[in-house]
Amino acid sequence: MSRSLRIAGHSTSIRLESAFWNVLDEIARGEGLSTSKLISALHDEAVEIHEGVSNLASMLRTVCLLHQREQAGSADGRQARA
């Protein structure tokens, strides 16, 4: 599935599987941002830290997987305390 958005003043289209868009939408809601604003912020952060983004879709997939891992770790910690 492809979505169009503006990043750093440029229109772009990003193609990701629906599962990744769902996770990005979830992260954005949790941050109180639109998904477009979240992606733009992630892009800007990567540019600042790494001086560029060679593959934005790949970076977003990695963000989603890290988020899911963090969520799973939080759930495991809550279960251990229960």
Side-chain angles (χ1 to χ4, degrees):
M1 176 199 298
S2 186
R3 292 191 193 179
S4 297
L5 53 129
R6 292 184 73 77
I7 298 176
H10 301 285
S11 293
T12 189
S13 181
I14 302 171
R15 181 178 288 280
L16 294 171
E17 296 77 9
S18 294
F20 290 107
W21 284 118
N22 292 340
V23 174
L24 288 169
D25 291 341
E26 175 187 318
I27 294 169
R29 274 192 306 276
E31 296 291 324
L33 299 170
S34 69
T35 303
S36 294
K37 293 270 190 205
L38 171 70
I39 292 170
S40 185
L42 290 168
H43 173 270
D44 292 348
E45 185 176 326
V47 167
E48 183 177 318
I49 294 169
H50 302 289
E51 299 179 8
V53 179
S54 61
N55 188 331
L56 183 58
S58 179
M59 183 194 79
L60 293 174
R61 287 182 183 96
T62 302
V63 166
C64 290
L65 292 173
L66 291 171
H67 174 76
Q68 294 297 85
R69 180 183 292 167
E70 182 181 295
Q71 294 297 98
S74 296
D76 291 344
R78 284 191 301 268
Q79 289 175 356
R81 289 189 295 268

